[in-house]
């Protein structure tokens, strides 16, 4: 929860290749105070069956930037058979030379105290998109 001196962050992931939430994805949260400051790892969580992280740590007072690191490779490896059924015409590993084209997704954004930031990740095997939600 945000206070007048801190921000708060939440996220969820939708696997757009199958039109379902992406459960079981590890998410790490880091913060820094200023553009040139070092990142401080604050901890993390994993998405639930609804694709949501409900228990990310709160950034400390003075945070100006937050980074969410999503470990998506294990999710894609685990759900490969489910996706293959849903994507009958999309060849697996097309042009990537690897099992997963984007094994990690790192999203960095600026924050101000007192604001809540909900940052959804729309994910598929060959791309992703993020936005500031509500």
């Amino acid at each position: 929860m945000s206070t007048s001196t801190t921000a708060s962050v939440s996220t969820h992931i939708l696997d757009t290749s199958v039109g379902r939430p992406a459960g079981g994805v590890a998410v790490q949260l880091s913060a820094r105070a200023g553009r040139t400051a070092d990142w401080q790892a604050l901890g993390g969580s994993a998405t639930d069956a609804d694709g949501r992280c409900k228990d990310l740590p709160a950034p400390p007072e003075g945070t100006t930037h937050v980074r969410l690191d999503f470990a998506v490779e294990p999710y894609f490896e685990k759900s490969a058979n489910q996706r293959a059924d849903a994507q009958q015409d999309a060849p697996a590993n097309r042009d990537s030379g690897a099992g997963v084209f984007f094994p990690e997704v790192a999203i960095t954004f600026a924050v101000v105290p007192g604001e809540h930031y909900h940052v959804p990740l729309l994910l598929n095997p060959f791309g992703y998109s993020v936005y500031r939600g509500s």
Side-chain angles (χ1 to χ4, degrees):
M1 171 172 270
S2 63
T3 68
S4 62
T5 59
T6 63
S8 63
V9 176
S10 63
T11 190
H12 77 270
I13 305 173
L14 177 66
D15 181 342
T16 59
S17 67
V18 293
R20 292 193 168 85
V25 177
V27 181
Q28 295 294 318
L29 187 139
S30 300
R32 68 182 180 192
R35 288 182 306 178
T36 60
D38 291 333
W39 287 103
Q40 176 186 0
L42 300 178
S45 184
T47 55
D48 61 17
D50 207 23
R52 298 184 179 277
C53 272
K54 298 180 180 175
D55 55 355
L56 288 172
E61 188 172 330
T63 295
T64 60
H65 297 87
V66 169
R67 185 178 69 213
L68 292 172
D69 291 295
F70 300 89
V72 299
E73 185 172 32
Y75 165 77
F76 280 127
E77 288 173 346
K78 180 180 173 186
S79 62
N81 292 336
Q82 296 166 340
R83 282 193 337 281
D85 292 341
Q87 298 178 289
Q88 297 172 13
D89 297 327
N93 308 327
R94 178 179 36 190
D95 300 328
S96 69
V100 176
F101 189 66
F102 292 108
E104 302 168 359
V105 175
I107 307 301
T108 303
F109 52 98
V111 299
V112 296
E115 291 286 320
H116 176 71
Y117 297 86
H118 184 67
V119 182
L121 174 63
L122 305 178
L123 183 65
N124 71 65
F126 300 104
Y128 63 89
S129 179
V130 296
Y131 60 96
R132 182 174 178 184
S134 56

